[in-house]
């Protein structure tokens, strides 16, 4: 099949749009396929660490992001049952921006997508990528808008940015199987937004509760986001305690019951819109010999690997993985990628991805398990009360002060 584009990107979350922007800027012809109409709300804590704001500038949306986003995140907190510990957020000292900010995904994702469009990316939305066949240089991707006939698009390179908790197109059977096994410790994610919450501007508390963890933050226009992950067995207990309530409301009741800090911050707040939920989440690495890599498909964002949301680094990893990949791919014209060169690019990408993100994934898993076990969380609370500087150190380790690597892209090849 002849190629309709150099790169076809599946999914217009931060990873897909960032990859599309950077490759279009390098002179590639890009098609971006997104199944949902925007703007759409999304389950996410919506915080972006300081080290990524420069990357947003590079993507061409930095000024708009800063104009819309909530206040700088200058304090971090740890909240469990009856304890709230607060410490200063360590600043990012190596780039132009010291503190992160929060912005609703109904704003961030359209901003990035509009930028991609402005750079000439062909956006198919709402279109679902349903199936992929072929190989490097001649992929055929079946895309379909609801109620319309499916059509085939040809692409030289395929970038999978479909996220994690929604199924991607038919190409990785391992993903589909992983979605089917249920375990008591599976995590479901919930999010709601509130007006008039009592959270102080710039405060980012982490919630560490029995069988759940989460966070709260003041985002744009005085709107507070509460996002959390809860174990399957804990969720079942919440629902059993409130059989008439929706899952979201039973989770909210649980958070209020379990955590004095949540009760205090939500006292007098009004929820805006319904609770959103997704899951089960599957934190872990999805790049590897047996999956996308062996087929020559490049994965970015959550499709490549997902960290426990406790550390709020998923958007950062989405943007940064797209930048890593674009720096490797965009250095050559797409036509240069035969199977051998694509395999070499995969190896370089896998190595860059692993050293950039694997330590963060492991650390996030450790924090998450510590936060959800009451005895450990209580002990951690007691230690943090005595030495709040440890909270600062933990925040630093989680990547909040790390400046995103930004490799220069070469100028586009002359046509
Ligand atoms: C509770 C919770 C709190 C979080 N808090 C934070 C936080 O504070 N900070 C942070 O940085 N990260 C946070 N994250 C993580 C963050 O939300 C994700 O890591 C991030 O959204 C990943 O971006 P992505 O572009 O890879 O995927 P997504 O944002 O999931 O985007 C994927 C896109 O692909 C589309 N798609 C899927 N399948 C198809 C298909 N077949 N065809 C076409 N389109 C398709 C989807 O519709 C979607 O728009 C949190 C996550 C959770 C669950």
């Amino acid at each position: 099949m002849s190629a309709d584009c150099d790169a076809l990107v599946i999914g217009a979350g931060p990873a897909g749009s960032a990859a599309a922007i950077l490759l279009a800027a390098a002179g590639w012809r890009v098609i971006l396929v997104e199944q949902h109409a925007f703007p759409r709300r999304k389950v996410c804590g919506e915080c972006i660490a300081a080290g990524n704001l420069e990357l947003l500038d590079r993507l061409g949306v930095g000024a708009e992001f800063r104009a819309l986003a909530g206040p700088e995140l200058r304090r971090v907190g740890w909240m469990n049952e009856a304890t709230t510990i607060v410490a200063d957020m360590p600043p990012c000292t190596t780039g132009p921006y010291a503190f992160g900010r929060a912005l609703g995904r109904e704003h961030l994702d359209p901003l990035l997508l509009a930028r991609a469009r402005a750079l000439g990316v062909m956006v198919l939305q709402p279109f679902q990528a349903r199936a992929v066949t072929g190989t490097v240089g001649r992929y055929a991707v079946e895309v379909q808008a609801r109620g319309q006939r499916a059509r085939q698009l040809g692409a030289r390179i395929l970038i999978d940015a479909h996220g994690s908790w929604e199924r991607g197109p038919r190409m990785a059977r391992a993903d589909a199987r992983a979605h089917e096994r249920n375990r008591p410790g599976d995590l479901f994610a919930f999010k709601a937004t509130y007006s008039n919450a009592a959270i102080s501007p710039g405060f980012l508390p982490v919630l560490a509760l029995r069988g759940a963890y989460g966070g709260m933050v003041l985002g744009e226009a005085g709107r507070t986001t509460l996002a959390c992950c809860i174990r399957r067995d804990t969720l079942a207990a919440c629902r059993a305690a409130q059989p008439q309530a929706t899952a979201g409301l039973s989770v909210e009741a649980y958070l209020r019951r379990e955590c004095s800090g949540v009760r205090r911050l939500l006292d007098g707040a009004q929820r805006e819109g319904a609770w959103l939920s997704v899951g089960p989440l599957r934190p872990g690495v999805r790049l590897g010999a047996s999956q996308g890599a062996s087929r020559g498909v490049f994965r970015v964002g959550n499709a490549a690997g997902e960290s426990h949301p406790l550390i709020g680094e998923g958007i950062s990893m989405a943007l940064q993985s797209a930048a890593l990949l674009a720096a490797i791919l965009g250095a050559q014209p797409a036509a240069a990628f035969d199977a051998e060169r694509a395999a070499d690019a995969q190896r370089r990408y896998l190595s860059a991805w692993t050293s950039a993100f694997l330590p963060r994934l492991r650390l996030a898993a450790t924090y998450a398990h510590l936060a959800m076990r009451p005895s450990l969380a209580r002990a951690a609370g007691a230690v943090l009360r005595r030495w709040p500087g440890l909270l600062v150190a933990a925040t630093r380790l989680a990547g909040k002060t790390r400046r995103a690597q930004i490799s220069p892209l070469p100028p586009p090849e002359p046509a």
Side-chain angles (χ1 to χ4, degrees), residues 204-249:
L204 177 58
V206 169
L207 318 176
L209 307 171
R210 192 165 37 99
Y213 63 75
M216 293 179 75
V217 72
L218 185 62
E220 73 282 356
R223 199 190 56 113
T224 296
T225 295
L226 167 54
C228 69
C229 292
I230 185 162
R231 285 173 55 108
R232 186 189 290 276
D233 48 7
T234 310
L235 177 60
C238 293
R239 301 220 63 183
Q242 289 204 303
Q244 309 303 329
T246 61
L249 288 177

Side-chain angles (χ1 to χ4, degrees), residues 11 15 34-36 40 42 44-45 47 105 129 162 302 312 314-315:
E34 166 57 48
Q35 64 186 356
H36 294 307
R40 51 99 174 85
K42 190 161 175 76
C44 184
C47 299
R105 295 291 296 271
H162 86 270
N302 276 17
I315 301 172

Side-chain angles (χ1 to χ4, degrees), residues 287 320-321 323-328 344-360 405 407:
L287 283 176
Q320 291 176 28
S321 60
L324 287 177
L325 180 62
I328 292 170
D344 177 58
Q346 283 284 7
R347 273 191 295 277
R348 288 195 289 140
Y349 175 57
L350 182 59
S351 152
W353 192 99
T354 305
S355 63
F357 306 125
L358 196 57
R360 235 177 292 180
Q405 284 176 27
S407 325

Side-chain angles (χ1 to χ4, degrees), residues 134-139 155-157 295-298 337-340 342-343:
T135 185
V136 175
R138 45 196 166 82
Y139 284 107
R156 294 179 191 278
I157 296 283
R295 297 186 50 112
V297 175
F298 293 90
F337 282 93
D338 55 13
E340 199 179 321

Side-chain angles (χ1 to χ4, degrees), residues 10-16 33-36 38 40 42-49 105 109 127-130 161-169 189-191 227-229 278 281 300-303 306-307 309-318 400:
I10 299 171
V33 184
E34 166 57 48
Q35 64 186 356
H36 294 307
F38 282 2
R40 51 99 174 85
K42 190 161 175 76
V43 178
C44 184
E46 304 175 333
C47 299
I48 303 195
R105 295 291 296 271
D109 292 21
F127 267 84
Q128 188 177 50
R130 296 172 56 82
H162 86 270
S164 53
W165 42 83
E166 292 170 290
R167 283 200 186 165
F190 287 82
K191 168 216 164 129
C228 69
C229 292
V278 291
L281 270 51
V300 287
N302 276 17
E306 180 172 5
S307 110
L310 181 97
I311 62 167
E313 281 289 293
I315 301 172
S316 306
M317 287 172 47
K400 297 298 168 201

